[in-house]
Amino acid sequence: MTDAAKDPAAFLRRLFQAGLDAVSADHILPRLLTPGALPRPKGRTLAIAAGKGAAAMAAVAEQAWGEAPLSGLAVTRYHHGLDLKRITLIEAAHPTPDEAGMKAAARALDLAAELTPDDLLLCLLSGGGSALMVAPAPGVSLADKQALTKALLRSGAAIGEINTVRKHLSRFKGGRLAAASKAPVVTLAVSDVPGDDPGTIASGPTVPDATTLADARAVLAKYGITPAPSIAAALFDPTNESPKPGSLPHTRHILAATPIQALNAAAEVARAAGVTPLVLGDDLEGEAAEVAKVHAGIARGCLRHGQPLPRPCVLLSGGETSVTVRGQGRGGRNVEFLLGLALALKESAAAGEAIWGLACDTDGIDGTEDNAGALLRPDTLKRAGSLGMDAAAFLANNDGYGFFQALDDLVVTGPTRTNVNDFRALYIP
């Protein structure tokens, strides 16, 4: 019996940790920040870091820059900070922006505008930057943007659609930070978006934007969202159109870490444990419970027929699912996925077929709760039933957190200070 089969839960946690380690700032950034890879400017370097990994990325930049002039601003989620020496740390709200994030974005724009062609604007971006750096378009209040953000998050809209709207209601996103500076701009980004589109990561503050005001209006129409009058007016104002491709020749964008790196690292650990891995994809989208049904079908094929993989095997996937919120429960898309998976595997579990699962957000926060995700065991539904819990009712109420909390199967990591989005692993012994 393999070590994985002896303790499947520990094995799945080990895969998740391997993925996190592979995309940590300490692992990915030092080689990209050497003088050979990124020459120091004649003047000074201004570092602007935004996202859930901002503090960790800024700390590595401070160390890599040595004695060369470096200052800047790092904005991260509350309780995700670190002790920085030369870069000022600001903590702000996520996923709904707040006053602290608005002040930080305004300060970042002011600092970028002070740079000369002899300087360097070094942007360190990770997922969460869209909410953490908020600079409403003229005439749009923070309260209006907060309300719209909440509506978009509850609608089931994909992250690319949400960011299309954000970019057209901002003075910071959609290439506008780069447009504010005369200095060359180099961006190192940790991708948390399906397809690794630079324009979607943190809403692309240094990247020309191919989407339009009409695209933003279409997203709101698609999901039946009626915005505040100020937002409706802003989305028809041509001055809020974002910089288009070809308009920012002084920028360079480098993907420092991507979801596939985390999945590949987990796959290597699985192989070393004698378990065959299959990466289903790093950019899966769709309703979490529906995506779970597809995963369940593939897992059953492995278990019953040895197709597409013979046992023991593990199915790995990433991306960002969505949840159309209809209930009043707690939890994010990863526990929603696992609830859907449990129900999809109900007959398999009743027949004694063993399929284990883990689904976690690599930033350590599933939705707005204190867990990264949860574990699914072959006896999850049986144990829930013994406690009088109906999994289908919990799913209808979008209460994955409450369900897995009662079973003591939440995965709690605390802030990981990186973010390559969802990590899912289904183990078939």
Side-chain angles (χ1 to χ4, degrees):
M1 180 182 291
T2 66
D3 288 341
K6 292 176 183 176
D7 193 343
F11 170 64
L12 289 171
R13 286 176 177 270
R14 200 158 70 244
L15 297 186
F16 182 44
Q17 188 60 53
L20 293 178
D21 292 343
V23 294
S24 69
D26 288 340
H27 181 75
I28 60 174
L29 287 188
R31 65 181 178 83
L32 297 174
L33 291 173
T34 64
L38 185 54
R40 305 318 187 229
K42 294 180 182 179
R44 60 195 179 97
T45 298
L46 174 71
I48 299 295
K52 296 169 189 173
M57 296 177 80
V60 174
E62 286 186 338
Q63 184 175 10
W65 233 245
E67 299 301 318
L70 176 70
S71 62
L73 192 66
V75 186
T76 193
R77 181 176 173 153
Y78 290 116
H79 311 302
H80 283 56
L82 292 171
D83 183 25
L84 302 178
K85 306 303 181 185
R86 289 183 281 174
I87 297 171
T88 300
L89 177 74
I90 296 175
E91 294 186 338
H94 180 279
T96 302
D98 68 356
E99 188 80 20
M102 188 166 71
K103 290 180 179 178
R107 179 61 178 153
L109 288 167
D110 288 343
L111 291 171
E114 295 171 359
L115 297 177
T116 74
D118 289 333
D119 301 323
L120 173 67
L121 175 55
L122 174 63
C123 291
L124 306 169
L125 301 180
S126 56
S130 292
L132 292 164
M133 284 286 205
V134 56
V140 175
S141 69
L142 176 60
D144 286 344
K145 287 203 73 172
Q146 289 171 328
L148 180 63
T149 298
K150 291 177 181 177
L152 284 165
L153 291 172
R154 293 178 65 88
S155 71
I159 186 61
E161 294 174 315
I162 293 173
N163 286 355
T164 292
V165 177
R166 283 168 161 165
K167 285 187 282 190
H168 290 90
L169 295 170
S170 175
R171 294 178 291 109
F172 186 86
K173 303 174 177 68
R176 290 181 179 85
L177 175 62
S181 178
K182 295 183 177 66
V185 181
V186 174
T187 300
L188 303 180
V190 175
S191 173
D192 70 323
V193 299
D196 304 326
D197 175 16
T200 303
I201 303 167
S203 294
T206 61
V207 179
D209 176 36
T211 69
T212 66
L213 286 164
D215 293 329
R217 296 193 300 269
V219 170
L220 299 187
K222 176 180 177 180
Y223 293 98
I225 296 173
T226 301
S230 65
I231 289 176
L235 292 179
F236 276 97
D237 185 345
T239 63
N240 289 326
E241 191 54 89
S242 50
K244 295 299 173 234
S247 64
L248 300 173
H250 62 305
T251 67
R252 182 159 66 106
H253 196 281
I254 300 167
L255 283 172
T258 62
I260 195 64
Q261 290 172 238
L263 297 174
N264 285 342
E268 285 301 313
V269 171
R271 290 190 190 95
V275 177
T276 304
L278 174 64
V279 177
L280 298 176
D282 66 338
D283 60 353
L284 304 187
E285 296 182 88
E287 281 284 331
E290 295 302 314
V291 173
K293 293 177 182 178
V294 177
H295 282 66
I298 298 172
R300 279 193 300 268
C302 295
L303 191 149
R304 297 173 181 175
H305 311 299
Q307 295 291 338
L309 290 179
R311 300 158 56 195
C313 60
V314 63
L315 306 175
L316 300 167
S317 70
E320 181 168 354
T321 61
S322 55
V323 177
T324 301
V325 179
R326 297 184 176 90
Q328 301 299 317
R330 300 169 61 191
R333 57 185 180 264
N334 287 288
V335 288
E336 181 99 354
F337 169 87
L338 288 173
L339 259 179
L341 183 64
L343 290 167
L345 292 173
K346 183 176 181 177
E347 292 183 5
S348 295
E353 296 176 335
I355 297 175
W356 296 72
L358 175 145
C360 290
D361 197 320
T362 53
D363 64 9
I365 304 295
D366 187 25
T368 59
E369 303 300 335
D370 59 0
N371 65 312
L375 278 163
L376 177 75
R377 304 172 189 269
D379 64 350
T380 288
L381 290 182
K382 182 179 179 181
R383 288 186 295 126
S386 70
L387 296 175
M389 297 194 306
D390 180 355
F394 275 80
L395 181 60
N397 196 36
N398 302 119
D399 194 14
Y401 184 93
F403 183 85
F404 288 102
Q405 182 185 46
L407 298 176
D408 196 27
D409 277 335
L410 293 176
V411 174
V412 179
T413 62
T416 64
R417 298 182 177 87
T418 190
N419 186 11
V420 292
N421 234 311
D422 297 338
F423 177 99
R424 294 177 290 269
L426 273 64
Y427 171 53
I428 303 97

